[in-house]
Amino acid sequence: LGGFVRQIKWDSVPDSNSIEKGTYDFTINRIEVKGDDENTDDKLRYSVDVVVESEGTWKGSHHFQTIWIGSEEDPKAEEDKTWDAARKDLILLKQILNAAGVPKMDTDEQTFEAAKGYKFTSDISTYESAKTGKTYTNLRNPRPLGQVGGARPSQQPKANPFQ
């Protein structure tokens, strides 16, 4: 059959589809509300899909960040205490939207629809789940596009009072 031999270039194929730790520019592809269907026991969550814009191995790769709201006791997040407990994840979502300059609309769905195409810079961090043993990636320290990161105030070394 013509002598063509197809050979996968294995050296250029990453070992994992998880984006490596580092700093990347991203475009918001979509943010979806999930788990709000009354006919399921799914927990309410926001699924954030961003695409790497930075040149290199990961350009064009999708990173999916789940913003968990619902809990075992209140899967649809109908109680204020459930939203309060989700504060850490909600802060990350707000940081992403603010870093990208997304305008806040009248409803979450309108804000999420408006977010498509907005860009921001963020670090990717990794952690290993004690529960599953798998390694996961997270967006960390989202900031306006191109802004150089740095230690957050809580990560800066404390002054030595004895010097």
Side-chain angles (χ1 to χ4, degrees), residues 16-21 124-138:
S16 165
N17 63 358
S18 293
I19 298 168
E20 293 175 358
K21 281 172 67 168
I124 288 281
S125 65
T126 60
Y127 73 95
E128 187 172 321
S129 168
K131 192 181 212 181
T132 66
K134 293 182 180 178
T135 300
Y136 295 94
T137 57
N138 276 324

Side-chain angles (χ1 to χ4, degrees), residues 97 101-105 110-112 114-115 118:
L97 295 172
V102 176
K104 306 301 184 300
M105 307 301 224
Q110 289 172 336
T111 299
F112 300 157
Y118 278 78

Side-chain angles (χ1 to χ4, degrees), residues 85-101:
R87 174 181 239 133
K88 182 179 174 188
D89 277 8
L90 286 168
I91 288 170
L92 178 60
L93 178 59
K94 184 176 182 179
Q95 288 174 338
I96 292 167
L97 295 172
N98 287 344

